[in-house]
Amino acid sequence: MSDEPSPELQRELLDDFYTECDELFGQIRAQLEPLERVGADLASPATHAALETLFRCVHSIKGNCGIVGLRSAEQLSHAAEDVLRRFTRRHGTPTPASLELVAHSIHRLEQLVSAHRHGQTPPEIEDLVASLRRTADAAAPASEAPSAPPFLSAPPFSPRPAPSATGAQRYLATFAPSKDLDARGVNISSVRTR
């Protein structure tokens, strides 16, 4: 008996994935439209609420893409999520340029999901991921050094070989969560990813 889901179940799961992505992209467009208007007050409570909604939608897309194995979309949405996280935690005020970058990234995410749906070659993401990382780093609080992995700053990592029944060498890494680390976006999920 195979652990793989049947082809019918796989199709049903993918259909659910595409439907949920369509709904999330619709919610994202509804939030981006007022933010992209010329003269929008980017420091207003309404803008903050829209950014919170964008963050949650992009976070959901990231998770869903991870589940179906759409790694490029997962990577791009993670980078966009980092920028939105900075703004929702008020580590910087969004600018028209940063919002345009987020909007362009969302459009590219839609293209990635569409390419996956139709079995087409996905578009490139490297340029956008790099731009999003620069934008997130620029919005980082002064106390956070973007070049150093923040989860290594507390407590220090010291690998210790752990016994293994197969003879393979394993290491034990510890992570001590804190409110400060969580405020900087460093949590158990980000540590596991790294």
Side-chain angles (χ1 to χ4, degrees), residues 72-145:
S72 56
E74 181 183 18
Q75 183 183 5
L76 180 58
S77 54
H78 181 74
E81 180 186 44
D82 284 346
V83 171
L84 292 166
R85 179 183 293 113
R86 299 284 189 212
F87 296 144
T88 60
R89 292 186 177 167
R90 301 188 190 275
H91 291 296
T93 302
T95 63
S98 64
L99 289 176
E100 183 178 334
L101 176 62
V102 169
H104 187 58
S105 301
I106 300 299
H107 180 67
R108 185 73 54 88
L109 278 171
E110 287 186 275
Q111 292 173 335
L112 287 165
V113 171
S114 178
H116 188 268
R117 176 183 273 170
H118 301 292
Q120 299 168 338
T121 303
E124 296 294 321
I125 63 164
E126 290 76 17
D127 57 333
L128 281 174
V129 170
S131 295
L132 289 163
R133 286 184 180 149
R134 283 191 301 274
T135 300
D137 288 348
S143 63
E144 184 179 327

Side-chain angles (χ1 to χ4, degrees), residues 10 70 80 93 99 170:
Q10 287 180 354
L70 187 49
T93 302
L99 289 176
R170 297 182 328 188

